[in-house]
């Protein structure tokens, strides 16, 4: 749909999780993240359970590096990439508060809706 409407130039979706972006040692995260972004360019990057990128309880976690690269790419390549960050609403709210840059770069938020009983 986004491709047909002209929002993206390629009818392409790259779906990832934390494991696809975060490296296990120093110097591994940036190239891993940039490779995923390169594959998604021109299309849609879907990050499932995106809140797992932010782990404040672990100072040695490399998820923060992913967030910084992602924000920079979202700013510099805003006309060539759609990023969808998915996850449970309350956890995503904490995730968005982890970096003030998210609010200015994320245009739409779709809260979870739960079925109502009749």
């Amino acid at each position: 749909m986004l491709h047909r409407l002209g929002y993206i130039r390629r009818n392409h979706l790259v779906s990832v999780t934390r494991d696809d972006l975060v490296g296990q040692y120093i110097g591994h995260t940036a190239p891993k993240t940039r490779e995923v972004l390169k594959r998604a360019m021109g299309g849609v990057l879907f990050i499932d359970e995106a809140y797992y990128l932010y782990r404040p309880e672990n100072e040695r976690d490399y998820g923060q590096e992913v967030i910084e690269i992602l924000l920079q790419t979202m700013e510099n390549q805003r006309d060539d990439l759609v990023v969808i960050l998915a996850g449970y609403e309350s956890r995503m709210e904490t995730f968005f508060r982890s970096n003030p840059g998210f609010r200015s770069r994320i245009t739409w938020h779709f809260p979870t809706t739960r079925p109502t009983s009749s």
Side-chain angles (χ1 to χ4, degrees), residues 6-77:
Y7 287 106
I8 54 177
R9 63 182 163 85
R10 296 173 55 204
N11 190 15
H12 182 69
L13 170 75
V14 174
S15 179
V16 297
T17 63
R18 175 188 165 82
D19 291 343
D20 300 302
L21 299 166
V22 178
Q24 295 178 346
Y25 52 86
I26 293 174
H28 188 229
T29 296
K32 197 172 181 180
T33 300
R34 286 190 179 104
E35 178 57 35
V36 167
L37 289 166
K38 182 179 174 183
R39 283 188 298 137
M41 208 52 64
V44 176
L45 174 62
F46 179 87
I47 305 175
D48 196 16
E49 296 182 321
Y51 47 79
Y52 282 129
L53 293 173
Y54 176 65
R55 292 190 172 166
E57 70 280 356
N58 184 351
E59 293 178 13
R60 297 179 59 194
D61 184 68
Y62 302 121
Q64 186 61 39
E65 186 176 1
V66 174
I67 292 170
E68 291 167 12
I69 293 168
L70 183 61
L71 286 171
Q72 180 182 22
T73 303
M74 289 169 68
E75 179 66 28
N76 296 340
Q77 305 292 327

Side-chain angles (χ1 to χ4, degrees), residues 76-114:
N76 296 340
Q77 305 292 327
R78 70 175 70 204
D79 294 332
D80 202 28
L81 181 66
V82 171
V83 177
I84 299 173
L85 304 168
Y88 293 110
E89 190 173 355
S90 61
R91 290 183 179 185
M92 290 303 291
E93 190 55 43
T94 301
F95 175 66
F96 287 131
R97 283 194 306 264
S98 73
N99 189 307
F102 275 127
R103 291 286 177 208
S104 65
R105 289 176 183 88
I106 306 286
T107 308
W108 296 311
H109 293 259
F110 298 98
T112 324
T113 57
R114 292 174 179 73

